């Protein structure tokens, strides 16, 4: 249900975990809820000295201005700006989205303690598919009277990871700042994570003024007036509360110093400020920590369980002005509308994307990924795909432990990497994406040994499971689970490998022991204490003797794990069974947009699963930025480990890259190098790439940026760059300009390059560092205007020796423009003007007289014109004009080349016109054959006639 507040609004970053600092990450729990500098510096001493009693309440609370404010409303404006602030992960992909401007509320359903405390079900498909038949309730009605007519004071708002609890509370505060919650005169939010780090006794009033200095004149009114106040306690799972009187004593005095947890307990008991209303947000596993008698209403956040909410989110998010950073409003609007339309159709088909996007967090990930795929315009791109997924996990799991009551305090992300990562890796290795209940049980329960591990599994089931795995909606696989987003399986599998969880037990022991030896030499007691944690006692004497005899044994053993990681990356990156699939960027696009995205290769089996992102994610995770983020999540990857992995991988990667990869696989390899974000490694890897064939790869702005970034890491010359049929435009050429300068042989055929693109080509050819000597521009709509730019380029260029303008719609006027400047170019040796609708009126003879080789076949030249051009001879005039398949009474030496050009370009040419030309060619061949008396020449004519007839036959039957 949509909020009644000021129209539909779009969530900026669901599950952003209150990261309100300008750095986009937590700068310590103490700063998490601290007000912005404007709130603390806006007070003016003495400004509100005359305001007391009702006047103070009216000015400070009801009017939303502090009595100490020099400017009315300034405090509230600062508070609203503070809670509307977006983390860096959001600001990197377009403008900031204010919560009070665009937002979509998730579905909230009323619940009960009985439903929450009933026995936890197994990980069954049936349970996951159950739709709760409970009343939907809006955020504004949470404090309405209950079914028995009692006034609700305490509300517990719970939901699994990623359902948008934190974003919803942020919106509630912003709405109050704008006067949209008239029920409450004062809202005081607290972060339970912040409170959990402090055990020093403090009074409630001191705690409030410590966090919100602008409330120091309002706090004395708490408990002494009818002030309608709402306390917000976000993230209760971070606090260990004890409601027993023996554990937490009663406290009704807001001035009495007690531990922060005791303040929370007494607020919920209604012993402290009994008239105050309280909203508690928590994960499902921590709901039972509050006794039911202290809770007036339970409500579950169900995310975007309504598909219409998903559509609204995508429409608002992807249609924001300036989302793609372009100034062309018309083209921008068209592309954004197209994306929204394809997404909507995919959701309507009840595809897996709809099942995943019931979590607002995944809606954010989908939009961010589409922004990355379509709207990246910079060189190099400001973000990587691995960075998006790593940041996405930080937004949802930053600083969180799986269970705060567990003494191990294992981070939630570390637990996920060890368990879900294992399942993901086994799926990648066995090439499957759907998992049965037996697969899940084997993965999650195989190592259950202690009560602590069983408790961790229980918390994971209730809080995190649905974030990563969801029931499959594909026909025939309804009784299996799949990862919410396909790429998430490959990311977690990569994280599982890179973190070393795949290592053998001996390698894990070796790593720990070798580190201890390096610190404290061979202290037997310390070594024994370490290895006794992971090995049975009966193995200790053997290991102890090994340590004494071979002190470097374990160091070498632990190093093998890094070699294994490097080998896995290299092998998976060049896995031949994945060859000839669409490149990974197109695969991601297809998984999001459905069948409108790129189709599978015709030779590929329909049910074949491709895991080409897996090695790319392994490289991306090792980048410095992603390692720093993962460190915050409790997943540590040391600098030395990353260095040794890169060192071990280098030789294998460079050797395999020299084998000559298919275009889509070469694009994946370039994307891997970009994700790796290691300039030194990339420079060595691409130095051996002298020929780059990316033909038929759809070169989006992102792919052009990646190509320019990776190849730009060195200054070596590229012998040949093939960008045939790559959907290039003028902006693509601008992005690739530094790379094109260094290419000797440049293929730009079949790219719809018009006059605007010819401006870029002119600048390229006139550049003093241009190394291009062979340029192919065939099958582009260059036209007369484009010919003018190319003519200017030819006049000043000093590197070009061969130029192909085959089928470029030049016409007579275009060729005349080019002919006027050919005399100024002394380097050009060959120019192809075939299939350009040229007639005798074009200055063909003048053009031919300037250069040794001129291709003019498939034009509308008369017989007289052909004879005039045919009279030019290389031995006499230094010129060769290729006009037809015949040369007088002999066959042209280039007949096979001309027919090959026709065969290659037939899919892009007018078939009827080609048929007419072939018919004329056949008649000319037969006429020339009858004129010759040489039997060898007659046989040669018959051979060529046979090839032309064969081509005509296939053309007429539609088999060519």
């Amino acid at each position: 249900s949509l909020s009644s507040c000021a129209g539909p609004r779009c969530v900026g970053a669901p599950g952003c975990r209150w990261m309100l600092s300008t750095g986009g990450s937590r700068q310590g729990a103490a700063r998490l809820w601290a007000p912005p500098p404007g709130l603390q510096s806006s007070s003016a001493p003495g400004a509100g000295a005359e305001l007391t009693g009702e006047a103070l309440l009216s000015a400070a609370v009801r009017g939303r201005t502090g009595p100490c404010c020099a400017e009315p409303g300034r405090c509230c404006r600062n508070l609203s700006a503070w809670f509307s602030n977006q983390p860096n992960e959001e600001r990197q992909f377009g403008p900031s989205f204010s919560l009070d401007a665009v937002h979509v509320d998730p579905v909230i359903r009323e619940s009960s303690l009985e439903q929450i405390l009933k026995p936890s079900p197994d990980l069954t498909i049936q349970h996951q598919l159950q739709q709760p038949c409970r009343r939907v309730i809006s955020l504004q009605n949470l404090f309405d009277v209950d079914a028995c007519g009692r006034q609700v004071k305490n509300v517990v708002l719970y939901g699994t990871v990623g359902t948008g609890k934190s974003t919803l509370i942020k919106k509630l505060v912003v709405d109050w700042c704008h006067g949209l919650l008239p029920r409450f005169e004062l809202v005081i939010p607290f972060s339970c994570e912040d409170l959990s780090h402090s055990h020093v006794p403090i009074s409630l009033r001191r705690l409030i003024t410590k966090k919100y200095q602008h409330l120091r004149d309002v706090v004395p009114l708490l408990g002494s007036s009818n002030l309608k106040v709402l306390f917000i306690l976000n993230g209760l799972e971070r606090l260990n509360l004890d409601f027993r009187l023996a554990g937490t004593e009663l406290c009704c005095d807001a001035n009495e110093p007690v531990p922060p947890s005791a303040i929370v307990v007494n607020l919920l008991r209604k012993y402290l400020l009994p008239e105050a209303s309280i909203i508690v947000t928590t994960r499902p596993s921590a709901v039972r920590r509050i006794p039911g008698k202290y809770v007036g209403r339970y409500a579950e956040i169900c995310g975007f369980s309504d598909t219409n909410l998903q559509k609204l989110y995508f429409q608002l998010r992807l249609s924001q002005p300036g989302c793609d950073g372009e100034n062309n409003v018309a083209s921008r609007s068209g592309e954004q509308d197209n994306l929204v339309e394809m997404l909507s159709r995919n959701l309507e088909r009840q595809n897996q994307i709809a099942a995943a996007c019931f979590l607002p967090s995944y809606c954010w990930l989908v939009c961010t990924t589409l922004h990355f795929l379509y709207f990246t315009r910079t060189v190099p791109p400001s973000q990587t795909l691995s960075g998006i997924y790593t940041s996405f996990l930080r937004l949802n799991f930053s600083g969180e432990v799986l269970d705060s009551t567990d003494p191990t305090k294992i981070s939630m992300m570390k637990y996920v990497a060890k368990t879900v990562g294992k399942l993901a890796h086994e799926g990648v290795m066995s090439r499957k994406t759907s998992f049965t209940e037996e697969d899940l049980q084997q993965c999650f329960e195989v190592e259950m040994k202690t009560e602590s591990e069983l408790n961790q599994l229980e918390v994971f089931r209730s809080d995190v499971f649905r974030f990563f795995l969801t029931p499959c909606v594909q026909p025939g696989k309804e009784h299996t689970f799949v990862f919410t987003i396909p790429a998430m399986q490959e990311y977690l599998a990569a994280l599982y490998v890179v973190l070393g969880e795949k290592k053998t037990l001996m390698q894990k022991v070796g790593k720990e022991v070798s580190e201890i030896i390096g610190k404290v030499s061979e202290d037997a007691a310390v070594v024994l204490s370490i290895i006794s944690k992971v090995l049975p006692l009966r193995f200790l004497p053997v290991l102890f003797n090994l340590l004494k005899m071979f002190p470097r044994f374990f160091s070498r053993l632990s190093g093998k794990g890094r070699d294994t990681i490097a080998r896995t990356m290299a092998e998976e990156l060049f896995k031949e069974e994945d060859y000839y699939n669409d490149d990974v960027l197109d695969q991601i696009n297809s998984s999001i947009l459905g069948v409108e995205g790129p189709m599978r290769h015709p030779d590929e089996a329909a049910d074949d699963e491709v895991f080409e992102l897996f090695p790319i994610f392994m490289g991306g995770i090792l980048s410095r930025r992603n390692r720093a983020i993962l460190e915050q999540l409790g997943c540590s990857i040391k600098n030395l480990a990353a260095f040794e992995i890169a060192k071990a991988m280098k030789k294998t990667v460079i050797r395999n890259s020299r084998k000559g990869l298919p275009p889509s696989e070469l694009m994946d390899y370039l994307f891997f190098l970009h994700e790796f974000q290691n300039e030194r490694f990339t420079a060595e890897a691409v130095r051996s790439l002298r020929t780059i064939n990316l033909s038929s790869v759809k070169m989006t702005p992102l792919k052009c940026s990646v190509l320019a970034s990776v190849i730009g890491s060195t200054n070596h010359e590229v012998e040949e760059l093939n960008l045939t049929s790559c959907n290039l435009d003028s902006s693509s050429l601008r992005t690739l300009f530094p790379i094109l300068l260094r290419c000797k042989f440049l293929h730009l055929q079949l790219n719809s390059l018009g006059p605007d693109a010819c401006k870029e080509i002119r600048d390229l050819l006139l550049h003093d560092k241009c190394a291009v000597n062979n340029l192919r521009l065939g099958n582009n709509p260059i036209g007369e205007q484009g010919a003018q730019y190319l003519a200017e380029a030819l006049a000043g260029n000093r590197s070009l020796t061969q130029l192909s303008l085959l089928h470029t719609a030049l016409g007579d006027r275009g060729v005349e423009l080019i002919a006027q400047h050919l005399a100024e170019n002394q380097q050009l040796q060959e120019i192809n003007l075939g299939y350009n609708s040229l007639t005798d009126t074009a200055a063909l003879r003048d053009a031919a007289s300037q250069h040794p080789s001129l291709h003019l076949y498939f034009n509308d030249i008369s017989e007289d014109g052909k004879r005039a051009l045919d009279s030019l001879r290389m031995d006499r005039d230094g010129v060769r004009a290729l006009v037809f398949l015949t040369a007088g009474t002999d066959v042209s030496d280039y007949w096979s080349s001309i027919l090959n050009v026709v065969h290659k370009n037939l899919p892009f040419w007018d078939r009827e016109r080609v048929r007419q030309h072939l018919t004329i060619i056949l008649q000319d061949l037969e006429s020339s054959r009858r004129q010759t008396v040489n039997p060898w020449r007659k046989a040669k004519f018959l051979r060529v006639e046979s090839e032309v007839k064969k081509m005509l036959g296939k053309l007429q039957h539609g088999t060519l």
Side-chain angles (χ1 to χ4, degrees):
S1 64
L2 294 179
S3 167
S4 60
C5 302
R9 299 181 294 271
C10 174
V11 175
C16 69
R17 320 312 298 177
W18 298 99
M19 294 194 299
L20 305 178
S21 66
T22 57
S25 61
R26 304 186 188 205
Q27 304 296 326
R31 294 295 302 165
L32 207 58
W33 283 88
L39 286 179
Q40 300 178 9
S41 61
S42 61
S43 38
E50 298 177 0
L51 298 176
T52 59
E54 290 300 316
L56 178 63
L57 279 176
S58 178
V61 183
R62 293 191 182 94
R64 301 293 189 266
T65 62
C68 55
C69 285
E71 178 187 349
R74 181 178 178 183
C75 289
C76 195
R77 286 199 302 272
N78 288 333
L79 186 67
S80 175
W82 185 245
F83 278 84
S84 300
N85 191 23
Q86 303 295 345
N88 277 348
E89 283 81 359
E90 181 69 16
R91 292 195 293 270
Q92 288 176 353
F93 302 101
S96 292
F97 298 94
S98 176
L99 288 177
D100 60 351
V102 281
H103 177 79
V104 177
D105 280 336
V107 173
I108 303 175
R109 298 184 185 274
E110 192 166 7
S111 184
S112 66
L113 185 62
E114 289 74 17
Q115 291 175 323
I116 299 171
L117 296 181
K118 64 183 179 181
S120 177
D122 295 330
L123 300 175
T124 59
I125 311 295
Q126 291 75 14
H127 171 69
Q128 295 293 322
L129 290 174
Q130 286 176 357
Q131 295 295 329
C133 300
R134 291 174 280 149
R135 183 172 72 94
V136 175
I137 187 171
S138 68
L139 191 63
Q140 286 75 20
N141 301 124
L142 287 177
F143 289 94
D144 291 350
V145 295
D146 61 14
C148 300
R150 294 172 299 200
Q151 183 63 47
V152 173
K153 286 294 184 180
N154 291 352
V155 173
V156 172
L157 194 61
Y158 69 94
T160 59
V161 174
T163 49
K165 300 185 297 296
S166 296
T167 303
L168 194 63
I169 295 302
K170 286 176 65 178
K171 172 187 169 291
L172 186 148
V173 175
V174 172
D175 282 351
W176 177 81
C177 290
H178 291 184
L180 299 176
L181 290 176
R183 182 193 297 265
F184 303 108
E185 296 170 319
L186 181 63
V187 171
I188 303 176
F190 284 114
S191 165
C192 291
E193 180 187 7
D194 186 8
L195 299 179
S196 69
H197 290 282
S198 175
H199 304 285
V200 178
I202 187 173
S203 68
L204 174 60
R205 290 175 179 173
R206 174 69 186 111
L207 182 63
I208 294 174
T209 56
K210 180 181 178 182
K211 302 301 179 185
Y212 305 100
Q213 293 184 19
H214 66 289
L215 296 179
R216 62 178 178 270
D217 292 316
V218 180
V219 167
L221 300 175
L222 293 177
S224 61
S225 67
N226 293 325
L227 181 63
K228 297 176 182 177
V229 60
L230 171 65
F231 286 95
I232 300 175
L233 303 172
N234 186 57
L236 184 76
E237 66 275 358
R238 305 304 296 267
L239 280 176
N240 295 324
L241 303 181
D242 190 349
F243 282 83
R244 298 172 303 167
L245 290 177
T248 303
E249 63 180 13
L250 297 176
C251 175
C252 62
D253 186 359
N255 291 313
E256 180 182 351
V258 293
S261 59
I263 293 177
V264 173
V265 168
N266 282 289
L267 283 173
L268 291 170
R269 283 173 175 167
K270 292 302 171 193
Y271 201 71
L272 181 62
L273 302 184
E275 298 303 319
S277 299
I278 301 174
I279 286 183
V280 173
T281 69
T282 184
R283 302 199 306 256
S285 63
V287 171
R288 64 190 71 184
R289 297 183 191 177
I290 306 177
K293 62 182 179 180
Y294 299 130
V295 180
R297 174 170 283 125
Y298 293 94
E300 181 182 8
I301 302 180
C302 301
F304 294 158
S305 53
D306 184 351
T307 307
N308 290 324
L309 296 182
Q310 300 176 20
K311 293 181 182 178
L312 180 59
Y313 179 98
F314 293 133
Q315 181 179 2
L316 293 173
R317 174 64 192 240
L318 292 173
S319 300
Q320 287 298 307
C323 182
D324 60 354
E326 287 289 298
N327 296 323
N328 190 334
V329 177
S331 62
R332 177 184 67 223
S333 177
E335 187 170 13
Q336 291 170 337
D337 291 344
N338 186 43
L339 286 178
V340 173
E341 178 65 23
M342 287 192 290
L343 259 177
S344 296
R345 287 202 294 267
N346 204 8
L347 293 172
E348 290 169 358
R349 288 192 298 267
Q350 294 298 313
N351 208 329
Q352 198 66 48
I353 189 73
C357 288
F358 90 94
L359 290 174
S361 289
Y362 275 97
C363 291
W364 180 88
L365 179 62
V366 167
C367 290
T368 304
T369 304
L370 286 177
H371 187 281
F372 177 70
L373 292 175
Y374 283 90
F375 303 140
T376 299
R377 309 291 184 187
T378 58
V379 182
S382 59
Q383 181 61 285
T384 64
L385 188 66
S386 303
I388 289 176
Y389 276 77
T390 307
S391 297
F392 169 71
L393 294 174
R394 175 168 67 176
L395 287 173
N396 289 278
F397 295 97
S398 179
E400 294 218 25
V401 296
L402 182 66
D403 185 3
S404 61
T405 63
D406 190 90
T408 61
K409 293 289 190 285
I410 184 173
S411 76
M412 187 178 289
M413 198 61 231
K414 181 69 172 179
Y415 185 86
V416 168
K418 294 177 65 174
T419 55
V420 186
K422 179 182 178 182
L423 179 72
H425 180 259
E426 290 177 353
V428 170
M429 292 297 100
S430 58
R431 307 188 70 76
K432 68 177 184 179
T433 56
S434 57
F435 306 91
T436 64
E437 295 177 21
E438 290 74 17
D439 294 332
L440 302 182
Q441 292 173 356
Q442 183 179 5
C443 176
F444 295 130
E445 300 179 7
V446 66
E447 296 182 358
M448 294 291 105
K449 299 184 182 71
T450 65
E451 181 70 17
S452 173
E453 291 172 332
L454 290 173
N455 290 337
Q456 290 176 356
L457 177 61
E458 183 66 22
V459 172
F460 170 79
R461 283 179 175 178
S462 62
D463 296 351
V464 193
F465 177 80
R466 287 198 302 169
F467 186 83
F468 292 105
L469 293 161
T470 187
C472 184
V473 300
Q474 184 177 345
K477 295 185 178 181
E478 293 87 351
H479 299 289
T480 60
F481 284 99
V482 296
F483 279 82
T484 45
I485 295 289
M488 184 58 72
Q489 176 180 354
E490 298 181 70
Y491 181 92
L492 292 178
L495 185 61
Y496 177 78
V497 173
V498 172
L499 287 177
E501 297 297 331
K502 188 176 175 290
K503 291 180 181 178
T504 64
L505 184 60
M506 286 294 291
Q507 288 176 339
K508 292 180 181 179
V509 173
K511 177 183 178 182
E512 294 191 31
V513 172
S514 61
E515 290 178 353
I516 292 298
I517 292 176
K519 295 177 181 178
V520 294
S521 185
E522 297 184 23
D523 189 325
V526 176
V527 172
L528 287 175
S529 67
I530 293 296
I531 59 179
S532 63
K533 295 178 182 178
V534 292
L535 286 180
L537 291 176
R538 63 178 180 273
F539 289 123
L540 294 183
V542 177
L543 285 176
F544 185 61
N545 290 330
L546 283 173
L547 279 171
K548 290 192 297 183
M549 296 173 59
F550 308 103
R552 298 182 181 178
F553 169 75
F554 288 99
S555 178
R556 292 197 302 269
L557 184 63
S558 63
K560 291 182 179 179
R562 296 175 184 129
D563 292 336
T564 302
I565 295 173
R567 187 167 56 254
T568 300
M569 292 172 67
E571 289 176 352
E572 292 294 326
L573 183 62
F574 299 103
K575 207 164 191 174
E576 292 188 4
E577 59 194 66
D578 288 341
Y579 276 11
Y580 302 108
N581 293 301
D582 291 318
D583 63 77
V584 293
L585 294 176
D586 284 343
Q587 291 174 33
I588 296 170
N589 186 76
S590 177
S591 69
I592 295 176
L593 300 180
V595 296
E596 280 88 356
M599 303 299 292
R600 290 178 179 270
H601 191 275
D603 297 334
E604 181 185 349
D607 58 349
D608 184 31
E609 300 294 352
V610 180
F611 295 97
E612 294 176 314
L613 264 177
F614 170 52
I616 290 175
F617 275 143
M618 276 193 282
I621 288 172
L622 289 172
S623 70
R624 184 180 298 274
R625 178 181 180 275
N626 287 330
R627 283 188 283 119
I629 296 176
L630 289 169
E631 180 74 28
Q632 299 172 15
L633 297 176
C635 301
S636 178
I637 304 172
K638 302 300 182 184
N639 286 331
L640 180 61
F643 173 78
E644 292 188 358
I645 292 172
K647 182 180 178 181
M649 183 177 55
K650 187 179 301 181
K651 291 183 179 179
T652 305
V653 166
I654 294 176
R655 182 175 64 251
N656 288 337
S657 67
R658 292 173 179 169
K659 294 179 179 179
L661 301 171
S664 63
E665 298 302 315
L666 179 57
M667 189 68 241
D668 290 348
Y669 176 63
L670 296 174
F671 190 62
F672 167 81
L673 296 175
H674 169 71
E675 291 282 315
F676 202 39
Q677 294 286 293
N678 186 322
E679 291 185 4
R680 183 176 178 181
F681 182 94
T682 299
E684 294 187 32
V686 301
R687 192 171 289 121
S688 60
L689 286 179
R690 297 290 179 175
T691 300
I692 301 174
N693 180 11
L694 296 174
S695 60
S696 300
V697 172
K698 184 179 180 181
M699 294 298 293
T700 62
L702 171 62
K703 294 177 186 176
C704 291
S705 296
V706 169
L707 175 60
S709 173
V710 172
I711 303 301
S713 59
T714 65
N715 293 320
H716 77 283
E717 286 190 353
V718 179
E719 294 292 336
E720 183 175 355
L721 175 60
N722 191 342
L723 295 175
T724 301
S725 190
C726 289
N727 293 83
L728 299 179
D729 55 19
S730 56
S731 62
S732 304
L733 297 181
R734 282 194 297 272
T735 302
L736 295 171
F737 192 89
I739 309 303
L740 302 181
L741 277 176
R742 292 151 42 188
C743 298
K744 293 183 177 180
F745 198 150
L746 183 57
H747 299 260
L748 296 177
Q749 307 97 301
L750 296 163
N751 278 296
S752 302
L753 299 176
D756 289 341
C758 290
K759 288 183 182 179
E760 305 298 328
I761 296 173
R762 176 195 61 185
D763 296 341
L764 171 71
L765 295 176
L766 292 178
H767 197 281
D768 57 354
K769 293 185 178 179
C770 178
V772 179
N773 56 39
N774 192 328
L775 177 60
R776 301 288 178 89
L777 289 171
N779 296 290
N780 284 300
I782 291 175
E784 181 180 328
Q785 183 60 50
Q788 176 66 48
Y789 296 128
L790 293 179
E792 296 173 11
L794 290 175
N797 178 265
R798 296 297 177 265
S799 64
L800 204 62
T801 59
Q802 293 178 300
L803 174 64
S804 174
L805 296 174
L806 176 71
H807 192 228
T808 51
L810 297 178
D812 289 343
R813 178 57 183 162
V815 172
E816 288 175 2
L817 291 171
I818 291 176
Q820 292 171 8
H821 293 78
L822 280 177
E824 303 173 48
N825 189 309
Q826 301 302 317
Q827 286 75 33
L828 193 64
Q829 299 176 6
E830 179 181 309
I831 182 170
N832 190 335
L833 298 173
Y835 204 164
N836 271 295
S837 303
L838 305 183
T839 66
D840 294 356
T841 60
L844 298 180
R845 189 175 178 88
D846 293 339
S849 63
Q850 303 296 329
H851 291 279
S853 182
L854 181 67
H855 297 248
L856 293 169
Y857 44 81
F858 271 56
N859 281 302
D860 301 325
I861 304 173
S862 66
E863 292 298 324
D864 292 339
K866 293 175 185 175
R867 283 193 292 271
L869 290 168
D870 191 53
S871 65
L872 298 172
R873 290 287 181 267
M874 178 65 71
D875 53 358
R876 184 187 67 206
D877 306 305
V879 175
R880 178 177 61 246
L882 278 70
V883 187
F884 236 44
L885 294 189
T886 58
T889 57
D890 198 0
V891 177
S892 170
D893 293 337
Y894 299 92
W895 70 269
S896 60
S897 299
I898 296 174
L899 290 182
N900 283 336
V901 170
V902 174
H903 190 274
K904 290 179 180 179
N905 291 277
L906 194 57
F908 318 104
W909 289 356
D910 182 351
R911 287 177 172 261
E912 178 58 26
R913 186 175 178 186
V914 171
R915 188 191 65 79
Q916 294 174 2
H917 277 288
L918 288 177
T919 302
I920 295 174
I921 286 175
L922 185 60
Q923 294 172 355
D924 184 71
L925 287 170
E926 291 173 346
S927 174
S928 298
R929 174 169 54 83
R930 286 192 291 269
Q931 295 177 18
T932 184
V933 295
N934 189 316
W936 298 108
R937 289 184 180 179
K938 283 183 179 290
K940 193 174 181 180
F941 272 111
L942 288 172
R943 179 188 173 191
V944 179
E945 288 176 33
S946 174
E947 292 292 333
V948 174
K949 288 179 181 178
K950 186 186 301 182
M951 188 176 292
L952 267 172
K954 290 182 178 180
L955 189 62
Q956 291 172 351
H957 291 89
T959 58
L960 186 61

